Amino acid sequence: MATQDVEMKEQQPTLSNSASSAVHSVLHHLKDIGSLIETGAYSREVRRIVKAVRLTMALRKKLKASTLFAFLNFALAPGSEAHARLSSFLPKEEEQDMEVDTATSAAQPPVKHTVPELEIYCYLVVTIYLIDQKKYSEAKSCSSASIARLKTLNRRTVDVLASKLYYYYSLSYELTGDLADIRGDLLALHRIATLRHDELGQETILNLLLRNYLHYNLYDQAEKLRSKAPRFEAHSNQQFCRYLFYLGKIRTIQLEYTDAKESLLQAARKAPMAALGFRVQCNKWAVIVRLLLGEIPERTVFMQKGMEKALRPYFELTNAVRIGDLELFRAVAEKFSTTFSEDRTNNLIVRLRHNVIRTGLRNISIAYSRISLADVAKKLRLDSENPIADAESIVAKAIRDGAIDATLDHTNGHMVSKETGDIYSTNEPQLAFNSRISFCLNMHNEAVRALRFPPNSHKEKESAEKRRERQQQEQELAKHIAEEDDDDF
């Protein structure tokens, strides 16, 4: 037992040393990111700040309070207002972590930076940490303070950091259930971003406003805002995907299913592979829209990697619509009612009932050249008081809409189907071929527009040529001086 106690005591310093090394490593990375932001601010290179934000997302899971304390001491003046405010949001860690923090601060004296970009970055890192620790009230206060500070800054190098803070500002209020409280502030921020020509900020805040309206089912107001907002080229692929998703939802509610389908499929296709939850939501709405259009999605849509379980309710719903079985459709809707209500697709599924009836009627018209309306009502499982009259009105509407090619014999109470002709003698193959060509051409044009080139590449080429000429001149001058020295000697 004594030997085991000795062994346990010997292991404790090893664990503390490993924790200390991990803290030092994260702090070292944060300092490098801070230096990168400072360099980008002085040289006005936005790409450096974009890289800094990307590196921060990789360190997100490793952030601790002690590390953030040390970084605040490094980035901000200890007596400044920003340092005091941000330190108050961070919880006090254990004594061991505080000792590591103190040792780190003592090993390297704090460097006082006055760059506004670095101060905004400190707000961003602390807000992200508070949200990850589920301290939503503190995150809400911290993000609100950061937005108040952002309103006083008009620098294009802050725009990237500001767009991230706008997102977490809205997220913190959404997590606390107070999303409606910031709608006026978001509208004011959008106006400020428009006046400052901050297109990335406009893009982000517009998506946040659309999300705010759609969260409370205010689709008309969302469409009015979207239609009146200024148009510009997308600067962020993630924001463009979100915009397409919200646009698809608005178009779906407004019964513009063709445009909604195109927007939702494009959002799912452009979304990053890591954004699995977003792609799942896009596919859920796209499946519903395609069913409302009378299309049946392929089985491969529901078998995508990581989406099988989430899309299972929609797969069974699609199967019920494909068969045209109204009873099976009711059973699936009741079985997954909780899932559909969470996805906010209940109203759309109610609309699908008419499509199920139409699909079943189309299958009946293909299978029978003549069938009585009583048998039609029986096969469609209509449970109304007068199923024959309902079946007659359903058949008449389907014939008028062109869903089936048949006629009604009102005297005998029959539906008479017409003979199906050769589809290749019509224009449908040509239209399908034309739609595929248009899809490929649009994809090619979008890929060309998405090509990015390094900024001022022509200037860098010119500077390289001038540098080469200067080096040649220096070499010739040095050679000439050497020859003169030889002659003197």
Side-chain angles (χ1 to χ4, degrees):
M1 294 296 293
T3 305
Q4 292 179 358
D5 293 340
V6 171
E7 290 178 355
M8 292 298 294
K9 291 178 180 179
E10 290 178 352
Q11 290 177 358
Q12 289 178 359
T14 305
L15 294 173
S16 62
N17 290 335
S18 63
S20 176
S21 62
V23 170
H24 284 303
S25 176
V26 176
L27 180 59
H28 177 70
H29 287 303
L30 284 175
K31 289 180 179 179
D32 289 343
I33 293 172
S35 301
L36 187 64
I37 290 175
E38 187 180 15
T39 305
Y42 283 126
S43 60
R44 296 183 180 181
E45 292 182 291
V46 180
R47 61 185 179 87
R48 293 181 182 272
I49 300 177
V50 173
K51 182 180 179 181
V53 173
R54 188 167 62 248
L55 293 174
T56 304
M57 294 302 130
L59 291 175
R60 182 171 182 170
K61 295 182 180 179
K62 300 178 182 178
L63 295 177
K64 292 185 177 181
S66 58
T67 311
L68 292 178
F69 270 119
F71 178 68
L72 291 179
N73 292 332
F74 166 79
L76 303 172
S80 63
E81 181 183 356
H83 184 278
R85 182 184 296 113
L86 289 173
S87 299
S88 65
F89 293 125
L90 294 175
K92 302 298 180 182
E93 291 288 326
E94 297 178 358
E95 294 181 358
Q96 180 181 354
D97 292 337
M98 293 302 293
E99 290 175 0
V100 173
D101 183 17
T102 306
T104 305
S105 301
Q108 184 172 357
V111 180
K112 298 180 181 179
H113 297 269
T114 57
V115 181
E117 287 80 0
L118 198 56
E119 179 185 348
I120 297 301
Y121 176 74
C122 292
Y123 276 106
L124 175 63
V125 175
V126 173
T127 303
I128 291 174
Y129 170 78
L130 293 173
I131 289 177
D132 290 343
Q133 296 297 318
K134 298 183 179 180
K135 299 180 181 297
Y136 301 136
S137 299
E138 292 83 351
K140 186 168 70 172
S141 302
C142 183
S143 60
S144 300
S146 67
I147 295 300
R149 180 70 177 95
L150 279 173
K151 290 180 179 179
T152 63
L153 298 175
N154 186 9
R155 297 161 64 99
R156 299 289 69 80
T157 48
V158 182
D159 292 346
V160 177
L161 299 170
S163 65
K164 287 291 181 181
L165 275 173
Y166 295 148
Y167 170 75
Y168 290 111
Y169 173 60
S170 175
L171 179 62
S172 61
Y173 274 83
E174 183 178 353
L175 292 173
T176 53
D178 302 326
L179 195 57
D181 298 343
I182 61 169
R183 194 177 300 156
D185 293 335
L186 290 177
L187 289 169
L189 289 171
H190 188 270
R191 183 171 60 253
I192 293 172
T194 304
L195 294 174
R196 292 176 177 176
H197 301 285
D198 176 13
E199 295 186 352
L200 181 59
Q202 293 179 58
E203 213 175 5
T204 305
I205 298 172
L206 177 61
N207 285 333
L208 294 177
L209 282 167
L210 292 178
R211 181 181 181 87
N212 198 312
Y213 285 125
L214 297 183
H215 183 78
Y216 295 99
N217 296 325
L218 302 174
Y219 287 92
D220 291 337
Q221 296 185 30
E223 173 59 21
K224 288 179 182 178
L225 172 68
R226 189 206 64 79
S227 61
K228 299 294 183 182
R231 303 294 179 87
F232 46 82
E233 285 192 17
H235 290 264
S236 171
N237 181 59
Q238 289 85 353
Q239 297 299 332
F240 186 52
C241 290
R242 291 191 181 104
Y243 175 78
L244 289 174
F245 176 60
Y246 298 143
L247 178 61
K249 293 178 73 173
I250 293 171
R251 291 285 184 260
T252 303
I253 299 299
Q254 293 178 340
L255 306 178
E256 299 176 9
Y257 298 134
T258 304
D259 295 338
K261 171 192 166 185
E262 184 179 352
S263 299
L264 291 169
L265 292 179
Q266 191 177 4
R269 187 173 64 249
K270 285 179 172 291
M273 293 301 296
L276 181 61
F278 178 80
R279 291 192 293 117
V280 166
Q281 288 296 322
C282 290
N283 279 280
K284 286 179 178 180
W285 278 75
V287 166
I288 295 292
V289 171
R290 294 182 68 179
L291 291 175
L292 288 170
L293 282 171
E295 303 176 7
I296 303 298
E298 300 81 3
R299 185 180 289 266
T300 54
V301 173
F302 306 97
M303 305 303 293
Q304 299 180 61
K305 186 178 179 181
M307 300 186 188
E308 298 91 342
K309 184 177 180 181
L311 295 180
R312 184 68 187 179
Y314 295 87
F315 174 74
E316 296 190 15
L317 188 70
T318 302
N319 187 43
V321 175
R322 181 182 62 84
I323 297 172
D325 190 339
L326 198 58
E327 193 66 29
L328 179 61
F329 175 77
R330 290 196 195 98
V332 172
E334 292 177 1
K335 180 180 178 182
F336 299 105
S337 58
T338 305
T339 304
F340 296 146
S341 61
E342 290 177 356
D343 296 336
R344 297 192 173 188
T345 54
N346 268 334
N347 294 335
L348 302 178
I349 290 170
V350 171
R351 298 182 192 177
L352 276 177
R353 182 179 181 276
H354 181 67
N355 291 63
V356 176
I357 295 173
R358 179 174 292 187
T359 303
L361 187 60
R362 189 183 299 116
N363 294 336
I364 292 171
S365 67
I366 294 173
Y368 296 90
S369 60
R370 179 187 293 268
I371 185 172
S372 65
L373 295 176
D375 292 336
V376 170
K378 184 178 180 181
K379 288 183 177 295
L380 292 177
R381 300 185 182 182
L382 300 177
D383 53 356
S384 57
E385 297 179 356
N386 193 354
I388 297 177
D390 290 343
E392 186 176 2
S393 63
I394 290 171
V395 170
K397 189 174 187 305
I399 293 173
R400 187 194 65 184
D401 295 342
I404 59 174
D405 193 5
T407 57
L408 267 176
D409 185 357
H410 295 281
T411 306
N412 300 319
H414 288 86
M415 181 185 75
V416 181
S417 302
K418 297 180 180 179
E419 294 184 3
T420 56
D422 185 11
I423 194 173
Y424 290 100
S425 62
T426 64
N427 292 331
E428 289 192 16
Q430 181 181 359
L431 295 174
F433 191 54
N434 182 56
S435 65
R436 294 179 183 180
I437 292 175
S438 301
F439 174 78
C440 294
L441 289 175
N442 289 333
M443 182 180 292
H444 174 266
N445 294 334
E446 290 172 4
V448 171
R449 284 196 295 268
L451 290 175
R452 293 184 178 181
F453 299 94
N456 300 326
S457 58
H458 62 288
K459 294 183 180 179
E460 292 178 2
K461 184 177 180 181
E462 292 176 0
S463 62
E465 292 176 355
K466 290 180 180 179
R467 194 183 308 114
R468 197 178 301 110
E469 291 177 1
R470 186 176 65 254
Q471 289 175 356
Q472 290 178 358
Q473 291 175 0
E474 290 175 355
Q475 291 175 0
E476 291 176 358
L477 181 61
K479 184 178 179 181
H480 181 65
I481 293 173
E483 290 176 354
E484 288 181 353
D485 292 341
D486 293 338
D487 292 342
D488 294 340
F489 179 75

